[in-house]
Amino acid sequence: MVANSSIIIRTVNNGQDYTGIKLSNNDKEPTEIIIPNYYMQEISKTIDSLTKEEKNKLKKLVKAWSKYQSKLRTANNGLGDNHASNFNFNVVFKLIQDFLENGLYIEFEHIEKMRSVGKINFPRTVKKCTPVILDENPLYLPYVTKVKKISDENMVRSAQILVLNDITKKIGWLLGFNIYIPLTNIRLSLDKSLVYKLKLIRNNSFNTRKLRLIDLVIQYITMLGLSSDENNKLFVSTVYSFWEEMISDIIGNVSDSNLRRVFYIRHRYINKKDGRICKILGKKELHPLMPDAVYMSDNNVTILDAKYYTKPYLPVNDDITKQFAYMRKAYAYFGENYNYRNIFVLPTEDISFNADVVAVFDIDIRVPRNQDLIPIEVLYLNVDYVVESYISGINISNSVL
C-alpha cells in the first residue's frame, strides 16, 4: 500500500544540503528522495517502474542512514533549521523488527475462574467455594484458579497498528515492508493526545517489551510532529555529516577517545593580564577541532579529513589549515620516528583513486625541509563503494591508503 505512485530522486546541491525524504501531502504529488552526489542517477518516474537495481540501491542507502542514526549521541543530531526535521529510520527499523520477531503486542490480564483443571488458588478457593467433605480431606470441585485473558482494551497494540500502517503507507516500499493490518475497533489517531496516554501507561508498566515498544511508538509520533511545514520534509542529516561518519567508520582505526586525547584542539581567548578566559558570544571556548579519522599501523600515522566537495572543487584555506594543525599535534605526540600522511577524502562516481594534486605551503628556503609541513593528499572514493562498506562494517584502509 503506497500513498502515491510517483517518485523523484535528486542529488544534493552541496555538502550543506540535507539528505533524506520529502513526503508528499497528497496522492497527486511525488515523494522526493534526496541522495548524495554520485550515488545513483537522478530519476523521475513511478515507483512501480523502478528497476530492481534502483530499488536495491535506495534500500541500501536507507540501511546506511539507519546505521548512521543508530550511532548518534544526541536525539537532535542532524536536526537543521525550522525547515528540516530529523526522520529517524533507525526507530522505524526497530518498530518493524519488533513486529516481525514478536507480532502484535497482546496484553494479558489475570482473571479468576471456577474450573476443575489448572493450578488451584487455595486462599481464594477456601474463601469462595463449598467443599465436598470426605473421610480424609475436603474436596473442592470446581475450585478457583487464575487464567490469562487477552485484554479487550489494549491501547499499545492499537498504537502499534496505527504506526505500522503509517510506515507501510508512506515508505513501506522503500523498506521492503508492505504489510497492512486491518483497523478493527480502533478509535485513536497518531497525535499528541495518544503520546500523553501512552506515557501514562508506560509509567505503570514493568513489562520490558511493552516499555520498549511504547518508547518507539512515542518517538515515531513525535518525529512526525516535528515535520510541521507544508512540504513535510523528513531529513536524516546534512550530507557532509553523513559522509564524515561513513569515512570515519570504514577507514579510521583510532578510537574516538584516543582521537580526543591526542588530536583534540581547543582554543579560547584569555586576558593577557590575569589569564582569565574571555567569553565570546556567551561561550568560554570556541568550537573545538578534531580530525574525522586517523589510521595507524606500525610506525605510520595517517590523518584523514572527509570533505564533501564535488568536482572540480577542492577543500579551501580553512580546511587545509586545520589539517596542518592536526599534523603538528600528531608530530608533537608521536615524534619523528613515525611516518606521516595527511589526506582529504572526497566523493566520486569513478573507481576510487588518488588524485595527482596535493595541498602544500609555499616553499620557504628559510625553513628546513625536515621541519616543513608535509603535503595534503587528495583521495577520491566511490560513493557506492563507501555506502556498501559502511553497511557491511568493512574497514577498507588496506585497499585505499
Side-chain angles (χ1 to χ4, degrees):
M1 179 180 179
V2 180
N4 58 73
S5 58
S6 299
I7 181 174
I8 295 175
I9 299 173
R10 69 171 179 84
T11 57
V12 297
N13 295 317
N14 56 65
Q16 298 292 334
D17 272 2
Y18 290 92
T19 180
I21 290 183
K22 184 166 66 175
L23 300 173
S24 63
N25 290 325
N26 57 67
D27 293 350
K28 296 181 180 179
E29 296 178 356
T31 290
E32 189 172 350
I33 303 179
I34 302 91
I35 63 174
N37 288 89
Y38 310 134
Y39 182 67
M40 61 187 296
Q41 292 183 341
E42 295 189 337
I43 295 172
S44 179
K45 58 170 66 172
T46 63
I47 293 175
D48 291 338
S49 64
L50 286 172
T51 66
K52 183 178 180 180
E53 181 184 4
E54 290 168 344
K55 287 184 178 180
N56 287 338
K57 292 203 76 171
L58 290 173
K59 290 177 181 179
K60 186 167 63 176
L61 181 60
V62 169
K63 288 183 180 179
W65 283 342
S66 178
K67 180 177 179 178
Y68 167 78
Q69 291 176 317
S70 69
K71 299 176 72 173
L72 298 182
R73 292 182 176 84
T74 55
N76 66 340
N77 196 330
L79 185 65
D81 53 27
N82 293 331
H83 302 293
S85 299
N86 186 355
F87 186 79
N88 197 325
F89 281 95
N90 185 51
V91 170
V92 174
F93 274 112
K94 286 181 178 179
L95 283 162
I96 294 173
Q97 182 182 13
D98 176 87
F99 171 71
L100 295 178
E101 292 180 353
N102 305 299
L104 290 176
Y105 182 77
I106 298 176
E107 184 83 46
F108 288 101
E109 58 180 342
H110 291 276
I111 61 173
E112 292 182 352
K113 294 201 76 173
M114 301 290 292
R115 299 198 306 170
S116 299
V117 294
K119 185 177 180 180
I120 185 172
N121 185 324
F122 280 103
R124 297 293 295 164
T125 298
V126 171
K127 186 176 181 178
K128 295 187 64 174
C129 301
T130 301
V132 176
I133 305 299
L134 302 178
D135 293 338
E136 297 179 354
N137 296 302
L139 175 65
Y140 290 93
L141 282 177
Y143 53 81
V144 176
T145 184
K146 285 186 177 181
V147 296
K148 287 183 178 180
K149 176 188 175 185
I150 297 177
S151 175
D152 294 330
E153 298 181 3
N154 189 345
M155 187 175 296
V156 177
R157 182 173 68 252
S158 298
Q160 182 190 18
I161 292 173
L162 290 174
V163 165
L164 291 172
N165 285 349
D166 194 68
I167 292 172
T168 296
K169 178 181 178 181
K170 292 178 177 176
I171 55 174
W173 68 272
L174 188 56
L175 308 177
F177 182 78
N178 298 302
I179 299 174
Y180 182 80
I181 304 168
L183 300 173
T184 305
N185 298 324
I186 295 179
R187 296 180 178 84
L188 302 172
S189 58
L190 300 178
D191 54 23
K192 292 181 179 179
S193 64
L194 180 56
V195 170
Y196 175 75
K197 294 173 183 175
L198 289 172
K199 286 181 177 179
L200 291 178
I201 296 174
R202 182 183 62 186
N203 294 338
N204 296 296
S205 178
F206 299 96
N207 182 295
T208 303
R209 186 205 170 190
K210 183 178 181 181
L211 292 173
R212 184 176 65 250
L213 181 58
I214 289 175
D215 283 337
L216 290 172
V217 170
I218 289 175
Q219 288 181 62
Y220 184 86
I221 298 172
T222 304
M223 180 171 65
L224 296 182
L226 286 172
S227 180
S228 58
D229 69 313
E230 64 181 15
N231 290 322
N232 201 19
K233 298 177 181 179
L234 301 173
F235 288 102
V236 175
S237 171
T238 52
V239 73
Y240 83 85
S241 298
F242 180 49
W243 178 251
E244 288 175 356
E245 158 60 23
M246 290 195 293
I247 297 304
S248 174
D249 187 79
I250 66 175
I251 300 183
N253 67 349
V254 176
S255 67
D256 188 68
S257 60
N258 284 330
L259 284 180
R260 292 180 180 276
R261 180 170 56 87
V262 178
F263 296 94
Y264 211 55
I265 299 176
R266 299 176 180 85
H267 35 275
R268 58 181 68 90
Y269 283 96
I270 62 171
N271 189 298
K272 291 190 296 182
K273 294 181 179 180
D274 55 20
R276 288 185 298 107
I277 298 175
C278 303
K279 287 187 177 182
I280 305 297
L281 299 177
K283 297 182 178 180
K284 289 186 176 182
E285 293 190 6
L286 302 175
H287 187 69
L289 303 175
M290 190 172 72
D292 295 326
V294 173
Y295 180 79
M296 294 190 65
S297 62
D298 300 327
N299 291 333
N300 300 305
V301 178
T302 302
I303 301 173
L304 301 138
D305 195 33
K307 291 297 178 187
Y308 206 84
Y309 284 79
T310 55
K311 302 171 187 176
Y313 302 105
L314 290 167
V316 293
N317 282 343
D318 289 345
D319 302 321
I320 295 171
T321 302
K322 285 190 293 184
Q323 287 304 103
F324 286 136
Y326 300 143
M327 183 58 64
R328 285 296 195 195
K329 291 275 286 187
Y331 193 83
Y333 189 88
F334 296 108
E336 60 185 12
N337 293 326
Y338 279 77
N339 301 312
Y340 297 93
R341 292 177 70 188
N342 217 334
I343 303 177
F344 285 130
V345 185
L346 277 62
T348 182
E349 79 277 21
D350 302 319
I351 297 175
S352 303
F353 68 97
N354 282 290
D356 294 331
V357 298
V358 291
V360 299
F361 271 137
D362 285 341
I363 295 176
D364 189 336
I365 60 174
R366 295 167 296 182
V367 178
R369 302 314 309 148
N370 62 348
Q371 295 182 19
D372 203 356
L373 295 166
I374 64 172
I376 304 175
E377 305 169 50
V378 179
L379 170 65
Y380 283 96
L381 290 184
N382 178 274
V383 176
D384 187 37
Y385 177 48
V386 169
V387 171
E388 184 69 48
S389 302
Y390 181 64
I391 294 171
S392 304
I394 298 174
N395 192 295
I396 63 173
S397 53
N398 288 331
S399 61
V400 299
L401 296 181

